[in-house]
Amino acid sequence: NSEGIQIGTCISRWYDKLQLIVSDNGLAGINFEHSAVDGHTVLRYASDTFTDTIVRFAQTISGPIRVNSFIEQKNTPTKHSLPDTLPRKIEFDFDDDIRKSIHFAECKVSDRILRNETRILEFTGYGKQYIVRNSMSPDAFVQIAIMSAYFNLYGEIVNTYESVQTKRFKHGRTEAGRSATAEALAFMKAYNDSTLSV
């Protein structure tokens, strides 16, 4: 909805594709399944689209000042070779079995949404500057904090990874960095050991 909260049955979403979602108040977001494209690529797409929109709006105010579009290709295609991008309503012809399957899928998604709860804590005790000043990586700090919270709750660590961008390398996309190491476990055990002191 316009407050950024997922409501309803969400049957208007293509969860296996990249989809722009625009609310009635103009707020927009992107939903996508990332096996086909990585998050940083989608972020760049969104950033360039937003920037291009701002530049085009500025041109409507300032007149015909030439500013290179971030999206425009170097070799702009001729008018005859432009693809047809007019939106068209997709019509489906479903039989009763397909309609029942869709109904059950909708019920399943709705049940999962209702079982979901999100709470946000805005921590203001310290931030990135404090962590860096103490010679630590903010990313590593947060990874260890999340794993420590899990360890405190369940007494063990689980297989954990974070995405590592390898786009600078040939054919690079995203790889997994494994942060649940023997050293991380030793830290968590030591941190929770009341007989040890700093």
Side-chain angles (χ1 to χ4, degrees):
N1 67 5
S2 59
E3 285 143 15
I5 300 168
Q6 181 168 289
I7 59 171
T9 62
C10 296
I11 58 173
S12 65
R13 303 287 181 265
W14 295 94
Y15 287 102
D16 62 335
K17 297 174 176 54
L18 191 145
Q19 181 181 23
L20 297 175
I21 302 165
V22 182
S23 297
D24 54 6
N25 68 350
L27 288 176
I30 296 177
N31 182 68
F32 71 100
E33 197 286 310
H34 90 107
S35 63
V37 62
D38 294 324
H40 50 84
T41 305
V42 174
L43 181 60
R44 174 65 188 266
Y45 162 73
S47 175
D48 285 358
T49 301
F50 178 74
T51 303
D52 189 69
T53 303
I54 298 298
V55 168
R56 287 175 191 260
F57 177 68
Q59 287 175 330
T60 66
I61 297 169
S62 60
I65 298 171
R66 177 68 184 149
V67 179
N68 288 331
S69 167
F70 287 88
I71 296 175
E72 198 173 290
Q73 299 291 326
K74 286 184 180 178
N75 299 316
T76 305
T78 64
K79 199 171 189 180
H80 300 293
S81 66
L82 290 175
D84 180 7
T85 57
L86 289 174
R88 289 182 182 79
K89 184 176 181 181
I90 302 173
E91 300 284 353
F92 296 98
D93 185 19
F94 297 135
D95 61 24
D96 286 341
D97 287 340
I98 296 290
R99 288 185 190 281
K100 283 180 188 172
S101 295
I102 291 171
H103 173 73
F104 287 126
E106 182 182 346
C107 291
K108 190 183 266 188
V109 168
S110 185
D111 288 344
R112 287 183 178 175
I113 290 169
L114 291 172
R115 285 190 307 212
N116 221 345
E117 183 176 332
T118 302
R119 294 183 186 196
I120 298 171
L121 168 68
E122 186 175 345
F123 181 76
T124 58
Y126 56 84
K128 177 183 174 183
Q129 299 305 324
Y130 171 82
I131 297 168
V132 171
R133 213 170 32 249
N134 285 281
S135 304
M136 293 181 281
S137 155
D139 179 73
F141 186 93
V142 171
Q143 285 287 321
I144 290 292
I146 292 169
M147 286 193 294
S148 296
Y150 189 93
F151 183 85
N152 289 343
L153 286 170
Y154 303 107
E156 62 181 2
I157 62 172
V158 292
N159 192 13
T160 310
Y161 85 93
E162 62 175 313
S163 63
V164 178
Q165 188 183 116
T166 57
K167 199 170 180 129
R168 291 186 177 198
F169 301 97
K170 185 175 182 180
H171 303 302
R173 282 188 59 193
T174 303
E175 294 299 329
R178 304 290 172 178
S179 44
T181 61
E183 292 82 4
L185 179 59
F187 168 81
M188 285 169 234
K189 286 179 177 176
Y191 185 79
N192 287 285
D193 187 343
S194 59
T195 64
L196 298 176
S197 61
V198 178

